[in-house]
Coordinates of all heavy atoms in Angstrom, one line a residue:
V1 N -10.7 -0.4 -18.9 CA -10.3 -0.1 -17.6 C -10.9 -1.2 -16.6 O -10.2 -1.6 -15.7 CB -10.8 1.3 -17.1 CG1 -10.5 1.5 -15.6 CG2 -10.1 2.4 -17.9
T2 N -12.1 -1.6 -16.9 CA -12.7 -2.7 -16.0 C -11.8 -4.0 -16.1 O -11.5 -4.6 -15.1 CB -14.1 -3.0 -16.5 OG1 -14.9 -1.8 -16.5 CG2 -14.8 -4.0 -15.6
D3 N -11.4 -4.4 -17.3 CA -10.6 -5.6 -17.5 C -9.2 -5.4 -16.8 O -8.7 -6.3 -16.2 CB -10.4 -6.0 -18.9 CG -11.7 -6.5 -19.6 OD1 -12.7 -6.8 -18.8 OD2 -11.8 -6.5 -20.8
L4 N -8.7 -4.2 -17.0 CA -7.4 -3.9 -16.4 C -7.4 -3.9 -14.9 O -6.5 -4.5 -14.3 CB -6.9 -2.5 -16.9 CG -5.5 -2.1 -16.5 CD1 -4.4 -3.2 -16.9 CD2 -5.1 -0.8 -17.1
I5 N -8.4 -3.4 -14.3 CA -8.6 -3.4 -12.8 C -8.7 -4.8 -12.4 O -8.0 -5.2 -11.4 CB -9.7 -2.5 -12.4 CG1 -9.4 -1.1 -12.6 CG2 -10.1 -2.8 -10.9 CD1 -10.6 -0.1 -12.3
E6 N -9.5 -5.6 -13.1 CA -9.6 -7.0 -12.7 C -8.2 -7.7 -12.8 O -7.9 -8.5 -11.9 CB -10.6 -7.7 -13.6 CG -10.9 -9.1 -13.2 CD -12.0 -9.7 -14.1 OE1 -13.0 -9.1 -14.3 OE2 -11.7 -10.8 -14.7
E7 N -7.4 -7.5 -13.8 CA -6.1 -8.0 -13.9 C -5.2 -7.6 -12.8 O -4.5 -8.4 -12.2 CB -5.5 -7.6 -15.3 CG -4.1 -8.1 -15.4 CD -3.4 -7.5 -16.7 OE1 -3.7 -6.4 -17.1 OE2 -2.5 -8.2 -17.2
L8 N -5.2 -6.3 -12.4 CA -4.4 -5.8 -11.4 C -4.7 -6.3 -10.0 O -3.8 -6.4 -9.2 CB -4.5 -4.2 -11.4 CG -4.0 -3.5 -12.6 CD1 -4.3 -2.0 -12.4 CD2 -2.6 -3.8 -12.9
L9 N -5.9 -6.7 -9.8 CA -6.3 -7.2 -8.5 C -6.1 -8.7 -8.3 O -6.4 -9.2 -7.2 CB -7.8 -6.8 -8.2 CG -8.0 -5.3 -8.0 CD1 -9.5 -5.0 -7.8 CD2 -7.2 -4.7 -6.8
Q10 N -5.6 -9.3 -9.3 CA -5.2 -10.7 -9.2 C -4.1 -10.9 -8.2 O -3.2 -10.0 -8.2 CB -4.8 -11.3 -10.6 CG -5.9 -11.4 -11.6 CD -7.0 -12.3 -11.2 OE1 -6.8 -13.4 -10.7 NE2 -8.3 -11.8 -11.3
P11 N -4.1 -12.0 -7.5 CA -2.9 -12.2 -6.6 C -1.6 -12.3 -7.4 O -1.6 -12.7 -8.5 CB -3.2 -13.5 -5.9 CG -4.7 -13.7 -6.1 CD -5.1 -13.0 -7.3
V12 N -0.5 -11.8 -6.8 CA 0.7 -11.8 -7.5 C 1.1 -13.2 -8.0 O 1.7 -13.4 -9.0 CB 1.8 -11.2 -6.7 CG1 3.2 -11.3 -7.3 CG2 1.5 -9.7 -6.3
A13 N 0.7 -14.2 -7.2 CA 1.0 -15.6 -7.5 C 0.3 -16.1 -8.8 O 0.8 -17.0 -9.5 CB 0.5 -16.5 -6.4
T14 N -0.8 -15.4 -9.3 CA -1.5 -15.8 -10.5 C -1.2 -14.9 -11.7 O -1.8 -15.1 -12.7 CB -3.0 -15.9 -10.2 OG1 -3.5 -14.6 -9.8 CG2 -3.3 -16.9 -9.1
R15 N -0.4 -13.9 -11.5 CA -0.1 -13.0 -12.6 C 1.4 -12.8 -12.7 O 2.1 -13.2 -11.8 CB -0.8 -11.7 -12.5 CG -0.4 -10.8 -11.4 CD -0.9 -9.4 -11.6 NE -0.6 -8.5 -10.4 CZ 0.5 -8.0 -10.1 NH1 1.6 -8.1 -10.9 NH2 0.7 -7.2 -9.0
R16 N 1.9 -12.2 -13.7 CA 3.3 -11.9 -13.9 C 3.8 -11.0 -12.7 O 3.2 -9.9 -12.5 CB 3.6 -11.2 -15.2 CG 3.7 -12.2 -16.3 CD 4.2 -11.6 -17.6 NE 5.1 -10.5 -17.4 CZ 5.2 -9.4 -18.2 NH1 4.4 -9.3 -19.2 NH2 6.1 -8.5 -17.9
R17 N 4.8 -11.4 -12.0 CA 5.3 -10.6 -10.9 C 5.8 -9.3 -11.3 O 5.7 -8.3 -10.6 CB 6.4 -11.4 -10.2 CG 6.9 -10.7 -8.9 CD 7.8 -11.7 -8.2 NE 8.1 -11.1 -6.9 CZ 9.3 -10.4 -6.7 NH1 10.1 -10.2 -7.7 NH2 9.5 -9.8 -5.5
D18 N 6.4 -9.2 -12.5 CA 7.0 -8.0 -13.0 C 6.0 -7.1 -13.8 O 6.4 -6.2 -14.5 CB 8.2 -8.3 -13.8 CG 7.9 -9.1 -15.1 OD1 6.8 -9.6 -15.2 OD2 8.9 -9.2 -15.9
L19 N 4.7 -7.4 -13.7 CA 3.7 -6.6 -14.4 C 3.7 -5.1 -14.0 O 3.6 -4.3 -14.8 CB 2.3 -7.2 -14.3 CG 1.2 -6.7 -15.1 CD1 1.5 -6.9 -16.6 CD2 -0.1 -7.2 -14.7
L20 N 3.8 -4.9 -12.7 CA 3.7 -3.5 -12.2 C 5.1 -3.2 -11.6 O 5.7 -3.9 -10.8 CB 2.7 -3.4 -11.1 CG 1.2 -3.7 -11.6 CD1 0.3 -3.6 -10.4 CD2 0.8 -2.7 -12.7
I21 N 5.6 -2.1 -12.0 CA 6.9 -1.6 -11.5 C 6.8 -0.2 -11.0 O 6.0 0.6 -11.4 CB 7.9 -1.6 -12.7 CG1 8.1 -3.0 -13.3 CG2 9.3 -1.1 -12.3 CD1 8.9 -3.0 -14.6
C22 N 7.6 0.1 -10.0 CA 7.6 1.5 -9.4 C 7.8 2.5 -10.6 O 8.7 2.3 -11.5 CB 8.8 1.6 -8.4 SG 9.0 3.2 -7.8
A23 N 7.0 3.5 -10.6 CA 7.0 4.5 -11.7 C 8.4 5.2 -11.7 O 8.9 5.5 -12.8 CB 6.0 5.5 -11.5
E24 N 9.0 5.4 -10.6 CA 10.4 6.0 -10.5 C 11.4 5.1 -11.2 O 12.2 5.5 -12.0 CB 10.8 6.3 -9.1 CG 10.0 7.4 -8.4 CD 10.2 8.7 -9.1 OE1 11.3 9.1 -9.4 OE2 9.2 9.4 -9.4
K25 N 11.3 3.8 -10.9 CA 12.2 2.8 -11.5 C 12.1 2.8 -13.0 O 13.0 2.7 -13.8 CB 12.0 1.4 -10.9 CG 13.0 0.4 -11.3 CD 14.4 0.7 -10.8 CE 15.3 -0.4 -11.1 NZ 16.6 -0.1 -10.5
A26 N 10.8 2.9 -13.5 CA 10.6 2.9 -14.9 C 11.2 4.1 -15.6 O 11.6 4.1 -16.8 CB 9.1 2.9 -15.2
L27 N 11.4 5.2 -14.8 CA 12.1 6.4 -15.4 C 13.6 6.4 -15.1 O 14.3 7.4 -15.1 CB 11.4 7.6 -14.8 CG 10.0 7.8 -15.1 CD1 9.4 8.9 -14.2 CD2 9.8 8.1 -16.6
D28 N 14.1 5.2 -14.7 CA 15.6 5.0 -14.4 C 16.0 5.8 -13.2 O 17.1 6.3 -13.2 CB 16.4 5.3 -15.6 CG 16.3 4.3 -16.7 OD1 16.1 3.1 -16.4 OD2 16.4 4.7 -17.9
R29 N 15.1 6.0 -12.2 CA 15.5 6.6 -11.0 C 15.3 5.6 -9.8 O 14.6 4.6 -10.0 CB 14.6 7.8 -10.7 CG 14.8 8.9 -11.7 CD 14.0 10.1 -11.3 NE 12.7 10.0 -12.0 CZ 12.0 11.1 -12.3 NH1 12.3 12.3 -12.0 NH2 10.8 10.9 -12.8
K30 N 15.8 5.8 -8.7 CA 15.6 4.9 -7.5 C 14.3 5.2 -6.9 O 13.9 6.3 -6.7 CB 16.7 5.2 -6.5 CG 18.0 4.4 -6.8 CD 18.8 4.3 -5.5 CE 19.8 3.2 -5.7 NZ 20.4 2.8 -4.5
C31 N 13.5 4.1 -6.7 CA 12.2 4.3 -6.1 C 12.4 4.3 -4.6 O 13.4 3.9 -4.0 CB 11.3 3.2 -6.5 SG 11.7 1.5 -6.0
K32 N 11.4 4.8 -3.9 CA 11.4 4.9 -2.4 C 11.7 3.6 -1.7 O 12.4 3.5 -0.8 CB 10.1 5.5 -1.9 CG 9.9 6.9 -2.2 CD 8.6 7.3 -1.6 CE 8.3 8.8 -1.9 NZ 7.0 9.2 -1.4
A33 N 11.1 2.5 -2.3 CA 11.3 1.2 -1.7 C 12.8 0.8 -1.7 O 13.4 0.3 -0.8 CB 10.5 0.1 -2.4
E34 N 13.4 1.0 -2.9 CA 14.9 0.7 -3.0 C 15.7 1.5 -2.1 O 16.7 1.0 -1.5 CB 15.3 0.9 -4.5 CG 14.8 -0.2 -5.4 CD 15.2 0.0 -6.8 OE1 15.0 1.1 -7.3 OE2 15.8 -0.9 -7.4
M35 N 15.3 2.8 -1.9 CA 16.1 3.6 -1.0 C 16.0 3.2 0.5 O 16.8 3.5 1.3 CB 15.7 5.1 -1.2 CG 16.2 5.7 -2.5 SD 15.9 7.4 -2.7 CE 14.2 7.5 -3.0
S36 N 14.8 2.6 0.8 CA 14.6 2.1 2.2 C 15.1 0.7 2.4 O 14.9 0.1 3.4 CB 13.2 2.3 2.6 OG 12.4 1.4 1.8
G37 N 15.8 0.1 1.4 CA 16.4 -1.2 1.6 C 15.7 -2.4 0.9 O 16.2 -3.5 0.9

């Protein structure tokens, strides 16, 4: 968990942009961000 938290807190510019995805989108549903434009 310690290593994972360190990875997650890296700036998006230094890690894969698609590493974290809206949980709703991962379940093939529309996420709140997509519904708001």
Side-chain angles (χ1 to χ4, degrees):
V1 174
T2 305
D3 291 343
L4 183 56
I5 290 172
E6 187 176 308
E7 176 189 29
L8 297 178
L9 293 176
Q10 294 296 314
V12 177
T14 62
R15 68 165 172 80
R16 282 189 29 215
R17 184 170 188 264
D18 62 348
L19 186 65
L20 299 176
I21 300 171
C22 173
E24 292 296 313
K25 186 67 172 182
L27 298 171
D28 290 325
R29 296 185 270 206
K30 277 200 164 197
C31 66
K32 288 180 185 178
E34 289 179 306
M35 290 188 285
S36 67

